[in-house]
Amino acid sequence: MFGYLRQVYQRHKKKLVIATGVAAFSYLISIYVRHKLKDFQEQLKEENATRELIKKRFTQTQKDCYMTFLSFLPVLIEPIYKELDVEQITKELKLIRKNKNTSLDDKSELSSSDITSSSNLNRIKERMGEGQTKSNARKNKVELWQDLKHKSITRFLTIIYSETLLIILLHLQLNIISRKSYLKTALKLASNNQGIKLIDLEKNMDSPEMDIDDTDEDLPEQAFLSFTWWLLNKGSMELKSIITESVESTFSGVSLRQELSIEEFDNLILQVQKDVDSRILEGSCLTEGGERFGLENLLLPSPEDEFTLLQNTNTVKFISSFNANVSNAQILQKMNSELKGYLRGSQVAQLVRVISSLGISNILDRVHDGLLHKNVSTDDAKGVSDLQESADERNKDTPKREDSWKLALILATLTPQTKELTNRHVDNSILYTMNNVSGLDDLSASVYSNFDL
């Protein structure tokens, strides 16, 4: 038996050795392949986890942008309302109307017998003098209505454009900062834990220890966000001046008693939009020094004003800590350079047009709805009827079109709708829509995913 097996072995020895070698090699190959497959699966899992984490961070950043915008809204609106005080003009017009009614009551007290007395002759002379004063008052009243026309439209458009620019600025700033924070955390974890799996990043991102590291690293970011002050206080006022010129040029020949359809009013607003867009987006506006004026001038201070702005918007302790490390200024300069690069691009210019047009169309739709349903307050209605004597008399016999309204009535409906733009509630449909256009998400994604900087 054993002899037979020995003979078989000797006869097939070579084949058995080859078969054994092939089997062993196949086994080793299978182990290697399984190992590589497992590594690939782990790597794929880590990459998916990383993408999900980035997506989560990105989504949260966009929510933070909207909430930050709402928190800045009162600061943005206050100087605009102060400079374009439509309500004060309305009060002055009401006072003139009240004084006029009082004067008419006094006149009715004069009788024919009073005129025969010499003492009342003086009263007549005084009344004649009052008549001259009233003539001047009428002139002032017409001027007030003109101011009301220009300022109400200017305030509406200034708020729209200022909010548009603030939305875009915050999305750029916060996405730059969020991306930087994400990279800093990921690199720190990788250096402290060799071979760490990125799937564990989500747990460590929210760890309190991650926020207590070197606080000096946050100084450039705080300084970067401080530059928002420029738009809130300087840029919005410069924008107001540009819009004022365009509104006065476009609406100067339109009487308050002139009847317009909402489409005609919309076309007038569109003319102002085109002029404003060309001046702030296409560089057709010149500064006093003859330099081109654009978004950078509205959103960011000049290099000469940067340090002054930081001093005015931060504490002395912050300025001291910021200046203690030269790398802070370098990091700030790098973030500013990136921001300016986006502001000079066509993507931001197109977004300004889209978001501002969206806000304007939303408000005008509400104005049209209010006009159709005669949704005008009693005070506004009285103010409109008062135009019969204060405005010019052109076209007074023109029959009214069913789909048109006096410009004064349109503005009386526009003013309360403009106030909706100042409503900082999270569920404000107009502001939410302006903040959630698809192009804005595309811009934010391009900023957040730009890891090469």
Side-chain angles (χ1 to χ4, degrees), residues 391-403:
D392 60 357
E393 295 296 328
R394 290 179 299 172
N395 304 321
K396 68 177 183 178
D397 296 326
T398 303
K400 181 179 178 0
R401 293 177 293 167
E402 293 183 358
D403 63 339

Side-chain angles (χ1 to χ4, degrees), residues 148-193:
L148 183 66
K149 175 180 68 175
H150 293 148
K151 287 188 175 182
S152 59
I153 299 172
T154 299
R155 185 169 73 177
F156 162 55
L157 293 176
T158 300
I159 292 175
I160 286 286
Y161 272 94
S162 297
E163 290 179 344
T164 296
L165 295 183
L166 181 59
I167 287 171
I168 294 174
L169 176 62
L170 289 174
H171 274 78
L172 290 171
Q173 286 182 318
L174 294 183
N175 278 284
I176 289 174
I177 290 175
S178 182
R179 180 199 65 209
K180 179 177 177 289
S181 175
Y182 171 80
L183 282 175
K184 181 175 64 177
T185 305
L187 291 174
K188 193 172 296 184
L189 284 172
S191 63
N192 293 336
N193 303 277

Side-chain angles (χ1 to χ4, degrees), residues 40-91:
F40 176 75
Q41 290 174 338
E42 289 292 334
Q43 182 180 359
L44 186 62
K45 185 177 180 180
E46 292 169 6
E47 290 177 356
N48 290 334
T50 303
R51 281 194 292 268
E52 286 299 319
L53 181 56
I54 293 176
K55 183 178 179 180
K56 179 181 178 181
R57 276 290 188 105
F58 175 78
T59 302
Q60 184 59 48
T61 299
Q62 309 325 303
K63 293 179 181 178
D64 292 342
C65 289
Y66 184 53
M67 299 307 297
T68 305
F69 164 73
L70 293 178
S71 68
F72 279 150
L73 197 56
V75 183
L76 176 69
I77 296 301
E78 182 179 358
I80 297 175
Y81 263 72
K82 183 177 180 181
E83 289 292 322
L84 300 168
D85 195 349
V86 175
E87 287 71 22
Q88 181 59 36
I89 299 176
T90 303
K91 290 179 182 179

Side-chain angles (χ1 to χ4, degrees), residues 96-128:
I96 291 176
R97 189 171 188 274
K98 180 180 179 181
N99 292 338
K100 173 187 171 184
N101 293 335
T102 302
S103 177
L104 290 175
D105 292 340
D106 291 341
K107 275 188 176 181
S108 64
E109 294 177 1
L110 287 175
S111 63
S112 59
S113 59
D114 290 331
I115 298 178
T116 60
S117 63
S118 59
S119 60
N120 285 327
L121 288 176
N122 292 330
R123 292 180 60 189
I124 296 174
K125 292 180 181 179
E126 290 176 0
R127 293 292 171 82
M128 292 176 65

Side-chain angles (χ1 to χ4, degrees), residues 141-246:
K141 187 176 181 181
V142 172
E143 291 174 349
L144 284 173
W145 276 110
Q146 292 299 313
D147 286 345
L148 183 66
K149 175 180 68 175
H150 293 148
K151 287 188 175 182
S152 59
I153 299 172
T154 299
R155 185 169 73 177
F156 162 55
L157 293 176
T158 300
I159 292 175
I160 286 286
Y161 272 94
S162 297
E163 290 179 344
T164 296
L165 295 183
L166 181 59
I167 287 171
I168 294 174
L169 176 62
L170 289 174
H171 274 78
L172 290 171
Q173 286 182 318
L174 294 183
N175 278 284
I176 289 174
I177 290 175
S178 182
R179 180 199 65 209
K180 179 177 177 289
S181 175
Y182 171 80
L183 282 175
K184 181 175 64 177
T185 305
L187 291 174
K188 193 172 296 184
L189 284 172
S191 63
N192 293 336
N193 303 277
Q194 296 297 327
I196 185 173
K197 296 180 181 180
L198 291 178
I199 195 172
D200 296 330
L201 272 176
E202 186 172 354
K203 296 179 181 178
N204 293 296
M205 283 290 190
D206 299 325
S207 175
E209 291 77 12
M210 299 308 300
D211 297 326
I212 304 177
D213 292 333
D214 191 7
T215 55
D216 289 343
E217 296 179 1
D218 298 329
L219 296 179
E221 299 175 3
Q222 183 177 338
F224 186 51
L225 289 175
S226 297
F227 289 156
T228 309
W229 182 93
W230 188 263
L231 171 62
L232 298 175
N233 296 273
K234 298 289 187 180
S236 60
M237 291 299 98
E238 187 63 41
L239 192 58
K240 182 216 69 167
S241 299
I242 295 172
I243 294 175
T244 297
E245 293 178 9
S246 297

Side-chain angles (χ1 to χ4, degrees), residues 126-372:
E126 290 176 0
R127 293 292 171 82
M128 292 176 65
E130 289 175 4
Q132 185 66 32
T133 302
K134 287 167 189 173
S135 176
N136 295 333
R138 288 191 195 98
K139 180 180 178 181
N140 292 334
K141 187 176 181 181
V142 172
E143 291 174 349
L144 284 173
W145 276 110
Q146 292 299 313
D147 286 345
L148 183 66
K149 175 180 68 175
H150 293 148
K151 287 188 175 182
S152 59
I153 299 172
T154 299
R155 185 169 73 177
F156 162 55
L157 293 176
T158 300
I159 292 175
I160 286 286
Y161 272 94
S162 297
E163 290 179 344
T164 296
L165 295 183
L166 181 59
I167 287 171
I168 294 174
L169 176 62
L170 289 174
H171 274 78
L172 290 171
Q173 286 182 318
L174 294 183
N175 278 284
I176 289 174
I177 290 175
S178 182
R179 180 199 65 209
K180 179 177 177 289
S181 175
Y182 171 80
L183 282 175
K184 181 175 64 177
T185 305
L187 291 174
K188 193 172 296 184
L189 284 172
S191 63
N192 293 336
N193 303 277
Q194 296 297 327
I196 185 173
K197 296 180 181 180
L198 291 178
I199 195 172
D200 296 330
L201 272 176
E202 186 172 354
K203 296 179 181 178
N204 293 296
M205 283 290 190
D206 299 325
S207 175
E209 291 77 12
M210 299 308 300
D211 297 326
I212 304 177
D213 292 333
D214 191 7
T215 55
D216 289 343
E217 296 179 1
D218 298 329
L219 296 179
E221 299 175 3
Q222 183 177 338
F224 186 51
L225 289 175
S226 297
F227 289 156
T228 309
W229 182 93
W230 188 263
L231 171 62
L232 298 175
N233 296 273
K234 298 289 187 180
S236 60
M237 291 299 98
E238 187 63 41
L239 192 58
K240 182 216 69 167
S241 299
I242 295 172
I243 294 175
T244 297
E245 293 178 9
S246 297
V247 169
E248 291 179 353
S249 174
T250 303
F251 283 88
S252 59
V254 184
S255 168
L256 280 161
R257 296 187 69 244
Q258 183 171 336
E259 293 184 355
L260 301 170
S261 67
I262 197 66
E263 291 79 13
E264 291 170 334
F265 181 72
D266 192 8
N267 288 334
L268 291 170
I269 295 293
L270 183 60
Q271 291 181 33
V272 178
Q273 276 186 268
K274 289 180 178 179
D275 183 53
V276 173
D277 288 346
S278 67
R279 299 178 72 178
I280 68 174
L281 301 178
E282 300 170 12
S284 62
C285 184
L286 296 177
T287 63
E288 294 180 357
E291 298 178 354
R292 291 292 175 185
F293 185 90
L295 285 180
E296 287 183 44
N297 305 82
L298 293 173
L299 296 176
L300 294 173
S302 64
E304 296 78 15
D305 294 327
E306 286 183 2
F307 185 70
T308 302
L309 188 151
L310 289 178
Q311 286 182 313
N312 293 336
T313 56
N314 294 280
T315 64
V316 175
K317 181 180 179 181
F318 171 86
I319 297 298
S320 177
S321 301
F322 182 85
N323 292 332
N325 190 341
V326 67
S327 64
N328 290 330
Q330 294 173 346
I331 296 173
L332 176 60
Q333 183 60 39
K334 185 176 181 180
M335 289 191 290
N336 265 337
S337 297
E338 182 183 358
L339 177 58
K340 290 178 181 178
Y342 287 111
L343 294 179
R344 294 166 184 160
S346 59
Q347 189 176 11
V348 168
Q350 181 62 21
L351 269 175
V352 173
R353 293 187 179 95
V354 171
I355 297 176
S356 59
S357 296
L358 187 61
I360 290 171
S361 63
N362 268 278
I363 292 295
L364 292 185
D365 286 344
R366 293 183 176 214
V367 170
H368 191 202
D369 184 66
L371 291 169
L372 290 175

